[in-house]
Amino acid sequence: MIEDLKKQIFEKILEYDTIIIHRHIRPDGDCLGSTIGLREILRASFPNKKIYSVGNNDTEYLHFIGLEDQIDDSLYKDALVIIVDTATDNRIFDERYKLGKFTIKIDHHIPIQDYANINYVRTDFPATCAVICDFYKTFEEHLTLPKSAALPLFVGMVTDTGRFKYRGVSGNVMRLAGMLLDYELDIEDIYARLYMKTKEIYKLQGYVYNKFKTTSHGVSYIYLSRNKQKKFKVDHHEAANLVNSLDSIKDSLIWMIFVEQPDKSIRVRLRSRFIAIDDIANQFNGGGHAQASGATVYSKREMKKLIAIADEKLRIFKLTNKDVF
Ligand code: AMP
């Protein structure tokens, strides 16, 4: 089944002269890494085809892995559209993906919607970049992977695996990452860029450490209003990045950050260890992975409801899992 899907995708790539790659809104390292990485592989392998990765380049800290393309609507006619790293069609960036002639989804999130003509989802990989590398390995004889693909693919793997620390990291994933490192990537430069934070973020991080709350069964959370973001001079993207600040609190197996958006909705980033939380995200306009999901709520009341559901889940979990920490 998997090999069959890969073959079908490869045949479609051979068939089309124009290939347009789309991604999800609010792109992260794996999202941009996989779209730009795939584009660079296809450009190097098929110099006569027109290949684009569509986006607005609004994620500045990732510009070093490559920039996205702005293209005209007319290019979609007769194009193959590959949507990468995106579980549901409402999160696809740029509605024009609908103008393509044939669509392919390549992803690693829990599949809740088959929105494309071919849907290739590998939840056994911890990053879509690993899915792309595995695809490349399968058709290695017919494809070229240049250094301009190795860098974004490696960065995507590093970021979506929490720097190679999540359970989905297998020997195979490490071998694929090793294949990329063989391109003499500057690992010190990459990590320096990924860890760099402004003074303002450090100050806000101090606020998060001071002010986070924990429910009786161990859900830790913080709410960052627009006013707070203004006071600390950070934007909502930067504020949302602080979710990992709460990631290792003893006996707190679920943690989340609530960030008020410019349109007043509240972005939720949910994280956990040992216990799944994607079902909670699904109830609040979201989804994602078992232990890393995103959602949106529209009031403080809804926020409290979400926290209460998570707390109840932990209460039940702790009844039968005594040794958790
Ligand atoms: P985030 O906290 O936004 O980084 O999200 C964690 C993971 O869940 C990422 O892999 C996202 O792609 C995914 N995710 C976030 N929001 C949603 C959503 N509304 N629907 C489905 N997946 C989501």
Side-chain angles (χ1 to χ4, degrees), residues 252-305:
S252 173
L253 275 66
I254 298 179
W255 58 100
M256 36 183 112
I257 191 164
F258 295 87
V259 182
E260 191 180 9
Q261 303 293 295
D263 68 359
K264 301 264 185 226
S265 66
I266 301 170
R267 177 181 179 193
V268 193
R269 303 189 81 191
L270 302 92
R271 301 289 185 270
S272 64
R273 56 179 176 274
F274 309 128
I275 181 169
I277 38 78
D278 57 297
D279 56 328
I280 304 174
N282 286 338
Q283 294 174 54
F284 294 88
N285 316 295
H289 306 286
Q291 287 163 247
S293 284
T296 307
V297 294
Y298 294 92
S299 64
K300 285 271 190 72
R301 214 171 128 181
E302 230 188 331
M303 177 176 114
K304 285 185 184 146
K305 194 170 149 201

Side-chain angles (χ1 to χ4, degrees), residues 13 53 62 168-169 182 184 204 213 223 233 254 268 304 311 316:
I13 287 171
S53 167
L62 288 168
V169 177
D182 283 344
E184 297 184 350
L204 182 59
K213 295 200 171 81
Y223 171 70
K233 300 196 186 73
I254 298 179
V268 193
K304 285 185 184 146
D311 186 62
I316 293 167

